[in-house]
Amino acid sequence: AQSVTQPDIHITVSEGASLELRCNYSYGATPYLFWYVQSPGQGLQLLLKYFSGDTLVQGIKGFEAEFKRSQSSFNLRKPSVHWSDAAEYFCAVGTFMSGYNKLIFGAGTRLAVHP
Amino acid sequence: DARVTQTPRHKVTEMGQEVTMRCQPILGHNTVFWYRQTMMQGLELLAYFRNRAPLDDSGMPKDRFSAEMPDATLATLKIQPSEPRDSAVYFCASGRGQGTSYEQYFGPGTRLTVT
């Protein structure tokens, strides 16, 4: 069955430090992969997506993610974190199930940023 | 800047009362999803509509929850009677849902508290 694992529940980084959030997926075919961000009190906002082609994808707010098929991973990165990046981050895989396209979400990683 | 809107943003009600949450999907999107988010369960898919037809509501407690889409600009989620365990944030998301389109765009959510 398709699944998404985000191994880190909480991560704390200092402002200006680099960031990598881990995501592993289980999916039989070529995956459609997404990262969403949820700021406190807000809905989920799409950061970036991978469908095919270049395995390094760029997103909004300076984020990027790299698809590694051999590791079944789609880790999110940012070279220098800003205090406004404190939020919860969700990785998701797109799947065709029960007759429609749906997203399977990971449990999320909550990011705290220290000044 | 097209976005999904949800009303109300916050709702506090007493156990046994009826609650109706509303969602306006992005114009031109033909799929609507209802999710519930809690600390314990994370994001749960409650219902899915395509072209206003309910295609999957297997995630919804049938005895008290109902979802409808009376027209292309309005989706509703109703709880009757409400219970304290229904306290959560309810999100609506819309998308194109065609071909390889898995992207979903989320509204800001309705935070429901049932006392």
Side-chain angles (χ1 to χ4, degrees):
Chain A
Q2 296 90 343
S3 66
V4 176
T5 301
Q6 294 180 245
D8 305 304
I9 298 175
H10 294 279
I11 282 185
T12 300
V13 299
S14 298
E15 191 168 17
S18 64
L19 172 69
E20 182 168 27
L21 301 182
R22 296 185 291 165
C23 172
N24 294 98
Y25 66 89
S26 172
Y27 191 70
T30 300
Y32 295 88
L33 296 162
F34 303 82
W35 275 101
Y36 282 82
V37 60
Q38 184 180 25
S39 298
Q42 301 297 315
L44 279 70
Q45 180 184 19
L46 180 63
L47 275 179
L48 47 77
K49 60 191 177 187
Y50 170 78
F51 285 172
S52 64
D54 193 347
T55 56
L56 185 64
V57 293
Q58 303 297 320
I60 62 171
K61 305 186 181 190
F63 284 91
E64 66 179 26
E66 186 171 13
F67 169 60
K68 292 186 177 180
R69 184 186 300 275
S70 61
Q71 298 178 18
S72 297
S73 69
F74 188 57
N75 294 348
L76 182 71
R77 301 195 294 246
K78 187 169 185 178
S80 177
V81 170
H82 188 262
W83 63 266
S84 61
D85 294 324
E88 189 152 20
Y89 292 80
F90 293 91
C91 181
V93 63
T95 180
F96 186 79
M97 185 187 295
S98 303
Y100 64 95
N101 295 348
K102 66 189 298 185
L103 293 177
I104 306 295
F105 286 92
T109 297
R110 187 171 296 276
L111 173 67
V113 180
H114 279 177
Chain B
D1 184 21
R3 56 183 66 190
V4 176
T5 58
Q6 290 185 248
T7 56
R9 292 294 311 277
H10 302 272
K11 176 72 175 178
V12 180
T13 191
E14 292 183 348
M15 183 174 62
Q17 296 299 304
E18 178 178 297
V19 175
T20 299
M21 291 168 271
R22 294 176 175 80
C23 166
Q24 181 173 12
I26 292 173
L27 190 64
H29 285 185
N30 67 335
T31 61
V32 170
F33 300 80
W34 282 104
Y35 291 89
R36 176 170 61 185
Q37 186 180 42
T38 61
M39 290 292 292
M40 295 300 296
Q41 300 297 326
L43 269 171
E44 302 174 273
L45 178 63
L46 297 176
Y48 165 75
F49 287 77
R50 184 168 63 209
N51 296 326
R52 296 175 53 201
L55 296 187
D56 185 2
D57 60 1
S58 57
M60 216 161 57
K62 298 292 190 299
D63 55 340
R64 298 182 300 107
F65 284 59
S66 62
E68 295 180 341
M69 203 161 173
D71 62 60
T73 64
L74 177 64
T76 62
L77 180 66
K78 189 175 296 187
I79 308 174
Q80 168 62 19
S82 58
E83 297 181 1
R85 59 180 168 152
D86 300 329
S87 297
V89 182
Y90 291 82
F91 289 105
C92 171
S94 71
R96 299 190 188 280
Q98 298 168 346
T100 57
S101 176
Y102 291 85
E103 294 165 58
Q104 297 176 24
Y105 296 86
F106 283 74
T110 295
R111 181 174 295 276
L112 174 65
T113 303
V114 183
T115 60

